[in-house]
Amino acid sequence: MTQQNPVLQFLLGRRSTPAKALRAPAPSDEALDVILRAAARVPDHGALAPWRFVVIEGAALARLSTLVQKRGTALGIDPEKVAKSAASWANAPKIVAVIAVHKPSDKAPEAEQFLSAGAACLSLVNAALATGWGAAWITGWAAFDRGFVEEAFGLAAQERIAGFIHLGTCESPVPDRTRPDMATIVQVLSE
């Protein structure tokens, strides 16, 4: 019976779209609003909303691509790696940065809040895929470079990137990847 459930069927067959396969158009403001509403409905102990979304489109994509190039060169990162990262920004139809925001709480430690931000990333990807858009959750070195994230997004000390969700249209079939052998990743404790 559960095999007939369309949500379960979606989850069992879901796969992210390769970011380099995404093209315009990207979700409209109206479509993105629905996707972001779904992304915000994740486990959130204490109702802290320990994340926020920054939608990046238009000229901002080119500006951030240039900033990636600048920061990568300044940090001495392999030029091929820098070029690949910069191209992912320049060629993306739209990107949503999911910012993890640590909030003081006696109930929810920082790690739990960061996991909630990660859940928001996955829910954003799944909502985009479920509504017919292509989506990929990307981080890369720029996500962890304080110089980049502070200049690009004005991140405060208690904020960090959980992920960059690339959104757009994919007209080619999305290849599946090898999935883990369940026998190697599942352990049952019964006593």
Side-chain angles (χ1 to χ4, degrees):
M1 176 133 172
T2 57
Q3 293 296 331
Q4 302 302 318
N5 180 304
V7 175
L8 183 59
Q9 286 301 305
F10 167 78
L11 292 172
L12 288 171
R14 71 152 304 281
R15 50 191 176 271
S16 297
T17 311
K20 63 185 176 189
L22 294 172
R23 303 285 179 262
S28 65
D29 291 346
E30 183 180 357
L32 185 59
D33 180 64
V34 172
I35 292 166
L36 293 176
R37 286 176 185 275
R41 293 186 65 90
V42 295
D44 174 13
H45 190 186
L48 299 172
W51 24 256
R52 61 186 178 91
F53 306 117
V54 177
V55 179
I56 308 149
E57 56 191 5
L61 291 163
R63 179 178 59 80
L64 293 179
S65 174
T66 300
L67 180 58
V68 162
Q69 194 77 40
K70 179 181 128 185
R71 289 293 305 158
T73 301
L75 293 169
I77 295 173
D78 179 324
E80 286 183 30
K81 194 174 183 180
V82 172
K84 181 179 178 184
S85 182
S88 77
W89 286 88
N91 298 329
K94 189 173 284 196
I95 298 174
V96 176
V98 179
I99 313 294
V101 183
H102 176 246
K103 297 184 176 177
S105 171
D106 293 333
K107 291 182 177 182
E110 183 175 2
E112 186 176 315
Q113 292 182 44
F114 191 71
L115 291 171
S116 181
C121 289
L122 179 59
S123 287
L124 200 160
V125 169
N126 283 342
L129 295 172
T131 54
W133 298 101
W137 177 357
I138 307 292
T139 51
W141 63 265
F144 306 103
D145 173 40
R146 287 307 294 181
F148 174 77
V149 298
E150 287 174 6
E151 187 172 340
F153 307 108
L155 261 58
Q158 78 279 11
E159 297 180 316
R160 60 185 169 148
I161 299 293
F164 298 119
I165 312 305
H166 292 235
L167 300 169
T169 300
C170 182
E171 295 175 358
S172 57
V174 177
D176 205 354
R177 63 176 175 79
T178 303
R179 300 298 170 169
D181 175 2
M182 298 306 291
T184 66
I185 63 168
V186 177
Q187 177 183 8
V188 178
L189 296 177
S190 58
E191 292 183 16

